[in-house]
Each structure stands twice: as structure tokens, then as C-alpha cells.
């Protein structure tokens, strides 16, 4: 994957905070029924998976963050300054320079409104390089609910830092070495970014804001009033304090607006343990205080906050119990769930949210980090199974974006960034409707997807809409003008035209499903006809999909692709695999083509357009090859190591592929609400889906050594084709695979 506002009266903020304390807690039944009685699946998560790789950018791009599922702010040790293509933690680094509250959704995206705290001993050091302290991985522990590390503070002394977090508040507990001068630095902004810090010794607080939005050069919405606000409240009185610009200290100064800005405090002699709670907000300082009062009030201890975050992870991760999995497979599986349950992230703050589309504060629910080109493929399907309580709010959030910005999001990082191609929110909405979700405005949803499919973006005939091209309107379906005219996006007019054409054909199919759901029968027929446009890119002379120019001539066969090539994109017909097979000469020839595709090394699992390819053997009448190939891909691309993700996590898509594939299913056409059958990895998986009538028990005795399916039944009913519906899974019961070590004819 490629990579002020309306003020809130202080008194009102605290009233809201107190009123919403109960609202912050998960439903009592959800947590109470799954209390943590010791070790749990949370303990099997390895947050260091995906934190290193051979390349400095093309690896998992993950951080060992501590926060609840879907947290607005994730808290992580910082071993380097993050920006586009660099996350704040890399396992290969040897020093920690802070603990950051980050809103960076993925390695190729920028951060927004971040804040960093760092304890220190001796003289105050505010610059990143000066304040950094060495550490050893042997003295480092990471889990979804807490992080701890021993930092080497010189002269054989160690400083212990412990970190936990809620959705909008981080809590850092520092145990300083005995007999040292102790201090704490809070960095608001970096060089070139003007922010504010204010020190209030009476309240034991540092407050301020950081207006940095590292992706502000992308997309038309400039969000000129955006700020990431913070309130840092200490449990220890200050002995002295000041502000700093870079490494220059301004002793005794309590307020400063500047660039490369920090505030610092020193603690009284003999201080050993200090706790600081850092609340964040995109709305205002009063809202940050309200978030603090709701999520981490002064009378709630570090252990209580960590325990509550652990309970939230338990509620999700303890819903799946595996048998017949190795220790490494368990770590990969539950870490994959941990990764996939972070996206998209909350953007609203207890009933209100700041919209970077119109630069205003609104009432309602909002999410951000919509990497839809990636996540429509399997991440959204994963969420419909494991976090269905979030789906209506996530769709409603996209509809808020439509109202405030004029379009559904493509790649939303607080606001539209115009990264990647296609209007894949169309697929997500169609999938959610097909799976029976009703808690959003379907009429408005159809209005939004209809606009995607029928309205070219501004300057569509003037701009090429290159990747990360600056100064453009919302990209939406760039090239839609020529697509509507000829049935393909013209390569000599619009960048990445071939990928766009194939995406638009699939998205037309998805829009047709939404049209059917709201009674727009004629529209549905029209979009279904248009969904066959993928055929216009197939060049029978070469046997590949190929870009076309406006006059119909073939462009170069390496032209027009988005992070892929002709091999990958020839398979990019998610909604009509039988039609693609007919186009390519029938099942036998198609299966042979797939053989050449895999044998030639063309399947690139590090990037999303390849993720469904192994499952296409199901449609070609050779499902045993799907069963073997899925196992092979999993073994080659996932491991219980720091470099255990072969490519960028891509906001949960890599991990969602693993979770679903390991259970034996994958949504080739997500908007169909159906799953292709692969090959389960484990002897038994007991899955308590939140919306299911009863547990779904998937059994595949001997799966580790027997990848091939001999027979399949659901609640005693034989399943003879390699496909299951979402409805099937939600009925729960027994999904029983009979496995073999030799290929079988089942499903062919």
C-alpha cells in the first residue's frame, strides 16, 4: 500500500464528563460474562510482530501500542520521529526518546495532533536526540493493555517506565532511580510547527495543542483550525518548571506559543514514582479535560485503567478458542485479531466529533483511518463477524463525511487524502446491507454511492489524478467521464486507468446491490450492465487485462496499474468470476493460467490485489489447489517474529486475511455476503460471534498435516460446494471438515 473552533464552557465539559462516565464502560454483560481469571488470549498477543523487516518501509509497519480496540489515540514507545513512511517504533532501534500518543493509522500515512512525554534524570534535556535513553529488548514487555521497559539512565541506574491507555487518555507511570534529580518533558510540536504549552503548577498540569497534520498537503480540505489538544495531569507537585524551544530552556516560563516546542517540570528531591495522565482531544482543551474525567479520573489507578483495557480486549479475543494450533500459530492468530480490531479508529469524543472536512464540531459518531482500497477486501468482513456492534456507526460516520465533504471517503486520515483509487466505500455499504445491518440511513447511503457511480470529480477531463497529486479536488472515480462514454477509463487521460476500470466495474456491481435494497430496480439493472465493463479490458491476443486509450487502442501492457501488474489485475474481477473464467477459455484453461500465475511468482501477498487469488481455484473446479495454496501463502507471509508480516499491515487487511483464512473462509466478493471455502488450519476453533445465535464450532481433525477437504457439513447438512453464506455462519452450530493428506474431489 502506498504508501480554533467553537469553545466549550469548562463547567459544561465537566457536567458532560460526569454524565458520560457510565457510557464509557462497555456493556456490563459483555465484560461481566468474560471476566479475566488469569491467563487469557490477550496473553498470547505479540505486539512486536510487524515492527521490523528487511526494508525500512516495506514491512508490517506496526507499533507495540497499548489502547483498547478502535482507540482514538494509541500509546507507544517512540524510538524515532514518525512521519510518512516512518512509524514511531522500530524494533531495530536501540534508544527510546519518548512515549507518544499517536493518531498515525499506517506507515505510509502521516500523524495528526500527536503528543509525546519523556521522563528524565539529571539535567533537563528537551531535544529528541539528547533525551533518548538506551534500552534492551530483554527488559521490555508489551501487551495490548500495557507496556513496560527499563531505560538505562547512566552510571548503572535504570528508570522504569510503564504505559497503559484508554481510547483518548494515556497513563505513564515512571519509577525513577534513587538519589537522582527527576524531571519530565512534554513535547507539543516539532521544528516548523507552531503550537502551545501552558504550565499550571497549582493544578499540576501541562496543557497545550499541536496543529500538525502531516498529510495536510493532500486533498482539498485544509482544516485550518485543526489542533490536537492535550491535558497532562501529574500526581506529584512540581519543584520547578519551564518551556523549551528545541534544546533551549526558558526557565520559569509558564506559557509559550512557538515551534519545536516543549514544556518541562522538575520534581522535589527524593521523588521516586510519578504518574501522569495525558488526555487528548480534537475538539478543545475543555473536551480533553472531559475525556480525562470520563476515562481516567484521578481516583482510578494505573492497574484499574490497564485492567479495564485488558477486559475490553478479553471481550473480543476470548471469543475464539483454538485447539490443535502451535504456540506460534496462536501468537499469529491472536495478534492478527489485535491488529484488525484497531481499525478504523474512533474520531468522536463521547457524542461529539471534530470534522476536518468542514472544520466544525458536530454531534454524532465518527471514525477515521479508512484505508478502503485495502480494507473492503476482508477487514470489513472481519468486523461484521467480530465487531458487528460497530458497523452501523462506521457506516453512519462515512455518511457524515459525505454530508460534510460532498463524497464518501476514499482514504480518510481525519479528512480525504485522495490516496489510492476507486470508491470502495460502495462495497462496504453494499456488504453491510447484504449482511442485514439496518442502523444507518439507507436512503442517504444510496444517494452517496449513486453519486460515486454517476458524478465525475471536478476537472475530470483536465487532471490526470496521479498518486498523491496535490491541489486536486476529491478524486472519487477519476476518469469516470471516459468510463461512462466508452466503458473504460482512458489511459491517455487518467493515471492508473486499467486498475480504475476494474475497480469501477466491481463498484458498479456493489452499487446495484444497494439500489436493489432501496427499491431502485431500474438503477440496479443499469449498474449491473455496467459491471460487465471489465470485459472491455481483456485482450484475447495476449490473454491479459490491458489498459486502453480513449480511441480504443491498447496501451502498453505494463501501463495503468495501481501497485500491481497485468498478472495480478487480470484476476481482479471479484463480482463475476464465472464470467472471467468464460472470458479466459473455460475452467480448465483458467486453472492452468492460475498455475502459471503462482509458479511464475506473480502472487504478491504483500499487497492487497493478490489476496483473493488463491481462492479462485474454487471456481475453476479445482478447490484442492485453493486448500493447498492458502496454507502455503500463510506459511510464507506470517510468522511469530518481529518481521512476521511480509508487507504493510494496511489497516487490518493483512491480519483479517489470516484470521478468516485460518478458519477456512474468505470473502472473494465481499458485497455478496458469501465466503469462499479454503482450508482451516486448526483441529478446532470455537467461535462466539457477537451476533450469532450460538457458538460456531469449526472442527477439522488432523488439520495440521491434512490440508485437503474430504467432506464438509454444517449442522449435519452436507455442504458440497466451496461456499458458505454469512447467514450460515451466524446460525452457529457445527461446521465440520473431514480432512485428508491427499487431494480430494470435494467441491469440484
Amino acid at each position: 500500500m502506498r504508501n480554533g473552533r467553537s469553545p466549550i464552557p469548562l463547567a459544561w465539559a465537566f457536567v458532560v464528563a460526569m454524565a458520560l462516565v457510565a457510557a464509557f464502560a462497555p456493556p456490563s454483560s459483555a465484560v461481566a460474562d468474560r471476566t479475566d481469571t488469569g491467563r487469557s488470549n490477550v496473553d498470547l498477543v505479540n505486539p512486536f510482530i510487524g515492527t521490523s523487516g528487511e526494508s525500512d518501509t516495506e514491512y508490517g509497519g506496526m507499533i507495540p501500542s497499548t489502547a483498547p480496540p478502535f482507540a482514538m489515540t494509541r500509546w507507544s514507545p517512540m524510538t524515532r520521529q514518525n512521519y510518512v513512511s516512518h512509524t514511531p517504533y522500530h524494533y531495530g532501534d536501540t534508544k527510546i526518546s519518548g512515549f507518544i500518543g499517536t493518531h498515525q493509522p499506517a506507515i505510509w500515512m502521516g500523524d495528526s495532533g500527536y503528543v509525546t512525554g519523556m521522563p528524565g534524570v539529571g539535567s533537563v534535556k528537551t531535544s529528541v536526540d539528547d533525551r533518548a535513553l538506551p534500552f534492551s529488548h530483554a527488559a521490555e514487555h508489551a501487551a495490548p493493555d500495557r507496556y513496560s521497559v527499563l531505560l538505562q539512565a547512566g552510571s548503572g541506574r535504570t528508570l522504569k517506565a510503564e504505559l497503559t491507555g484508554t481510547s483518548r487518555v494515556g497513563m505513564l507511570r515512571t519509577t525513577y532511580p534513587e538519589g537522582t534529580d527527576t524531571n519530565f518533558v512534554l513535547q507539543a510540536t516539532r521544528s516548523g510547527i507552531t503550537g502551545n504549552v501552558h504550565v499550571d503548577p497549582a493544578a499540576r498540569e501541562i496543557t497545550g495543542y499541536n496543529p500538525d497534520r502531516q498529510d495536510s498537503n493532500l486533498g482539498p480540505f485544509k482544516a485550518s483550525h485543526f489542533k490536537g489538544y492535550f491535558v497532562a495531569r501529574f500526581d506529584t507537585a512540581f519543584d520547578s518548571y519551564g518551556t523549551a524551544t528545541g534544546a533551549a530552556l526558558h526557565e520559569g516560563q509558564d506559557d509559550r506559543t512557538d515551534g519545536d516546542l516543549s514544556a518541562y517540570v522538575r520534581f522535589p528531591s527524593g521523588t521516586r514514582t510519578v504518574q501522569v495522565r495525558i488526555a487528548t482531544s480534537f475538539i478543545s482543551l475543555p473536551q480533553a479535560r472531559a475525556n480525562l474525567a470520563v476515562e481516567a479520573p484521578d481516583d482510578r489507578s494505573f492497574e484499574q485503567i490497564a485492567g479495564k483495557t485488558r477486559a475490553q480486549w478479553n471481550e473480543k479475543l476470548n471469543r475464539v478458542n483454538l485447539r490443535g494450533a502451535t504456540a506460534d500459530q496462536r501468537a499469529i492468530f491472536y495478534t492478527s485479531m489485535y491488529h484488525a480490531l484497531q481499525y478504523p479508529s474512533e474520531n468522536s469524543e463521547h457524542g461529539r466529533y471534530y470534522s476536518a472536512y468542514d472544520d466544525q464540531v458536530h454531534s454524532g459518531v465518527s471514525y477515521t483511518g479508512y484505508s478502503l482500497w485495502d480494507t473492503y477486501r476482508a477487514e470489513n468482513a472481519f468486523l461484521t463477524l467480530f465487531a458487528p456492534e460497530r458497523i452501523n456507526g462506521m457506516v453512519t460516520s462515512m455518511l457524515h463525511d459525505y454530508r460534510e465533504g460532498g463524497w464518501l471517503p476514499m482514504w480518510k486520515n481525519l479528512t480525504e487524502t485522495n490516496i489510492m483509487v476507486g470508491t470502495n466505500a460502495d462495497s462496504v455499504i453494499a456488504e453491510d446491507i447484504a449482511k442485514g445491518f439496518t442502523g444507518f440511513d439507507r436512503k442517504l447511503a444510496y444517494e452517496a454511492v449513486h453519486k460515486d457511480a454517476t458524478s465525475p470529480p471536478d476537472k475530470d477531463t483536465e487532471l490526470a489524478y496521479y498518486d498523491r497529486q496535490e491541489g486536486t479536488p476529491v478524486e472519487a472515480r477519476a476518469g469516470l467521464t471516459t468510463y461512462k462514454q466508452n466503458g473504460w477509463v482512458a489511459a491517455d487521460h487518467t493515471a492508473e486507468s486499467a486498475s480504475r476500470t476494474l475497480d469501477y466495474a466491481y463498484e458498479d456491481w456493489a452499487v446495484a446491490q444497494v439500489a436493489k435494497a432501496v427499491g431502485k430496480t431500474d438503477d440496479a439493472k443499469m449498474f449491473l450492465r455496467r459491471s460487465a465493463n471489465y470485459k472491455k479490458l481483456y485482450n484475447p491476443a495476449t490473454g491479459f487485462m490491458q489498459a486502453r486509450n480513449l480511441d480504443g487502442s491498447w496501451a502498453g501492457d505494463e501501463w495503468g496499474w495501481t501497485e500491481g501488474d497485468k498478472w495480478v489485475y487480470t484476476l481482479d474481477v471479484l463480482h463475476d468470476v464465472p464470467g472471467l473464467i468464460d472470458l479466459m477459455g473455460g475452467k480448465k484453461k483458467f486453472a492452468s493460467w492460475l498455475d502459471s500465475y503462482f509458479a511464475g511468482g506473480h502472487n504478491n501477498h504483500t499487497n492487497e490485489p493478490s489476496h483473493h487469488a488463491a481462492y479462485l481455484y474454487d471456481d475453476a473446479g479445482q478447490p484442492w489447489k485453493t486448500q493447498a495454496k492458502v496454507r502455503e501463502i500463510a506459511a510464507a507471509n506470517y510468522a511469530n517474529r518481529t518481521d512476521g508480516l511480509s508487507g504493510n499491515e494496511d489497516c487490518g487487511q493483512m491480519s483479517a486475511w489470516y484470521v478468516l483464512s485460518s478458519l477456512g473462509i474468505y470473502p472473494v466478493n465481499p458485497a455478496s455476503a458469501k465466503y469462499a471455502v479454503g482450508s482451516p488450519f486448526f483441529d478446532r476453533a470455537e467461535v462466539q460471534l457477537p451476533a450469532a445465535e450460538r457458538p460456531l464450532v469449526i472442527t477439522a481433525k488432523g488439520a495440521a498435516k491434512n490440508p485437503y477437504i474430504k467432506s464438509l457439513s454444517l449442522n449435519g447438512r452436507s455442504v458440497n460446494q466451496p461456499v458458505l453464506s454469512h447467514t450460515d455462519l451466524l446460525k452457529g452450530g457445527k461446521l465440520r471438515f473431514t480432512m485428508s493428506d491427499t487431494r480430494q474431489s470435494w467441491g469440484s
Side-chain angles (χ1 to χ4, degrees), residues 587 617-619 621-624 627 675-677 709-725 728 735-738 744-748:
K587 290 185 177 182
Y617 281 116
D618 279 356
D619 292 271
Q622 299 182 12
W624 62 87
Q627 295 152 26
Y675 300 87
V677 175
I709 300 172
K710 188 174 183 179
S711 66
L712 176 62
S713 66
L714 178 62
N715 295 322
R717 174 179 59 85
S718 293
V719 177
N720 297 314
Q721 297 297 321
V723 61
L724 293 164
S725 73
D728 289 336
L735 184 63
R736 180 171 294 169
F737 291 81
T738 302
Q744 302 289 310
S745 62
W746 173 86
S748 61

Side-chain angles (χ1 to χ4, degrees), residues 11-30:
W12 180 91
F14 277 102
V15 169
V16 170
M18 295 301 100
L20 290 171
V21 169
F24 170 68
S28 58
S29 60

Side-chain angles (χ1 to χ4, degrees), residues 568-609:
V568 170
Y569 276 101
T570 295
L571 300 176
D572 193 28
V573 183
L574 309 182
H575 60 294
D576 189 15
V577 179
L580 175 64
I581 290 173
D582 289 345
L583 201 62
M584 297 179 70
K587 290 185 177 182
K588 186 175 180 180
K589 287 186 177 180
F590 183 71
S592 177
W593 194 97
L594 282 174
D595 291 343
S596 298
Y597 167 84
F598 283 106
H602 301 292
N603 193 67
N604 178 15
H605 193 74
T606 67
N607 216 354
E608 281 62 35

Side-chain angles (χ1 to χ4, degrees), residues 32 40 54 95 148 224 272 282 293 325 398 426 444 475 504 535 661 706 719:
S40 73
E54 292 183 5
K95 292 183 177 182
S148 65
S224 58
R272 290 296 310 280
F282 295 138
M398 292 194 293
D426 305 341
L444 183 62
E475 185 173 312
Y504 299 173
K535 298 177 181 179
S661 292
N706 299 283
V719 177

Side-chain angles (χ1 to χ4, degrees), residues 398-415:
M398 292 194 293
L399 297 179
H400 288 325
D401 299 338
Y402 168 68
R403 279 177 161 159
E404 292 147 21
W407 299 87
L408 289 168
M410 292 177 58
W411 214 126
K412 177 188 178 183
N413 191 13
L414 288 182
T415 186

Side-chain angles (χ1 to χ4, degrees), residues 176-381:
Y176 291 94
E178 192 172 2
T180 59
D181 294 331
T182 57
N183 63 72
F184 194 95
V185 172
L186 197 72
Q187 183 176 4
T189 65
R190 299 175 186 172
S191 178
I193 304 297
T194 298
N196 173 264
V197 291
H198 178 80
V199 185
D200 184 346
R204 302 195 304 273
E205 287 184 352
I206 301 173
T207 60
Y209 62 79
N210 174 11
D212 193 15
R213 195 165 63 83
Q214 294 173 348
D215 289 326
S216 62
N217 61 315
L218 300 176
F221 305 102
K222 296 310 174 186
S224 58
H225 294 98
F226 168 77
K227 294 181 177 69
Y229 296 93
F230 58 85
V231 173
R233 183 177 299 159
F234 296 81
D235 70 347
T236 303
F238 305 160
D239 184 61
S240 60
Y241 58 85
T243 67
T245 47
L249 305 186
H250 309 289
E251 188 70 29
Q253 187 178 75
D254 64 2
D255 190 89
R256 191 176 186 91
T257 301
D258 213 328
D260 199 2
L261 182 65
S262 302
Y264 62 89
V265 297
R266 299 185 186 90
F267 304 111
S269 176
T271 298
R272 290 296 310 280
T273 301
V274 173
Q275 296 185 142
V276 56
R277 304 158 199 259
I278 308 175
T280 62
S281 174
F282 295 138
I283 295 175
S284 66
L285 279 175
Q287 183 63 50
R289 291 184 189 280
N291 294 343
L292 182 61
V294 171
E295 300 183 20
D298 292 346
D299 62 355
R300 192 169 297 168
S301 70
F302 183 97
E303 298 301 333
Q304 288 174 320
I305 292 171
K308 191 167 187 176
T309 297
R310 181 180 177 87
Q312 290 173 277
W313 281 110
N314 269 333
E315 197 280 324
K316 290 301 182 189
L317 302 190
N318 284 356
R319 287 186 175 274
V320 185
N321 288 298
L322 305 177
R323 293 184 190 172
T326 66
D328 283 344
Q329 284 178 320
R330 289 176 184 273
I332 296 166
F333 183 91
Y334 291 109
T335 304
S336 294
M337 289 193 71
Y338 157 73
H339 285 162
L341 287 164
Q342 295 178 21
Y343 309 100
S345 59
E346 295 173 347
N347 188 55
S348 45
E349 305 175 43
H350 306 295
R352 303 169 75 236
Y353 65 92
Y354 166 72
S355 171
Y357 289 92
D358 65 3
D359 214 18
Q360 299 292 323
V361 175
H362 300 266
S363 296
V365 63
S366 182
Y367 288 84
T368 187
Y370 278 101
S371 175
L372 290 161
W373 184 84
D374 303 286
T375 58
Y376 86 91
R377 304 170 195 272
E379 164 72 358
N380 191 66

